[in-house]
Amino acid sequence: IGLELDVSELARMGKVVLLTGLFQFPICAGIMTGLFMLFEAMGLSWGSGQYAALYVGMPCGISSTMIVVKLLAEHAEMDTAPGRLTVGILIFQDIWAIVVLAIQPDLANPQVLGLLKTFAMIAMLIIIALAYAKFVMPAVFVLASKSIELMLIIALAWCFFMCC
């Protein structure tokens, strides 16, 4: 997805992408959580615990970036204004998902220091990954490009390394 994302094009869209991206997820997740709370009040159960409606409502505010980008590419709409707007909103949704996942473990009793520590670790991981991708991986891929199998294994190892 990052390969198809032209940051300068996204920046040119300016306020539309920024405002829509910032407010789309909280509004949609809030509406869906409220709807699921209403259903709970009517007797439909979404699980146990006081945050069940929230855990069901939050994912309803997010779309699958990979599926939508694939569909846009198949219909040759990635380079259109609506396509770029859609990708911009999806990127913001991914950022919102990271924020929600960082806050979620301590939802009942959030600690500001713990949240700051989590976001600092996320930022450190991003900085290390970007530095590694910029300075180390190009040389590794040049050396590995002599063998397709080795290239595949190194690419998969890089992906698993980033996930762990």
Side-chain angles (χ1 to χ4, degrees), residues 10-22:
L10 227 50
R12 274 188 246 149
M13 296 187 82
K15 290 181 186 176
V16 175
V17 169
L18 185 65
L19 292 175
T20 307
L22 283 175

Side-chain angles (χ1 to χ4, degrees), residues 65-145:
T65 304
M66 292 183 69
I67 293 172
V68 174
V69 168
K70 182 180 183 299
L71 289 171
L72 287 171
E74 284 177 0
H75 295 7
E77 295 180 4
M78 285 291 293
D79 293 328
T80 64
R84 288 190 301 269
L85 176 64
T86 301
V87 171
I89 293 168
L90 290 170
I91 297 299
F92 270 96
Q93 285 183 358
D94 292 345
I95 293 168
W96 274 113
I98 292 168
V99 170
V100 168
L101 288 172
I103 293 171
Q104 180 270 332
D106 291 328
L107 199 56
N109 187 21
Q111 301 292 324
V112 175
L113 194 57
L115 289 174
L116 289 175
K117 180 182 174 188
T118 299
F119 285 113
M121 290 183 343
I122 290 170
M124 185 62 78
L125 177 63
I126 289 171
I127 290 167
I128 291 170
L130 288 174
Y132 194 80
K134 177 140 179 100
F135 300 113
V136 176
M137 290 309 290
V140 171
F141 281 131
V142 165
L143 293 172
S145 65

Side-chain angles (χ1 to χ4, degrees), residues 24-35 53-54 57-62:
Q24 181 270 334
F25 173 74
I27 291 171
C28 288
I31 290 170
M32 293 309 294
T33 300
L35 187 64
L54 181 67
M58 287 285 205
C60 291
I62 296 178

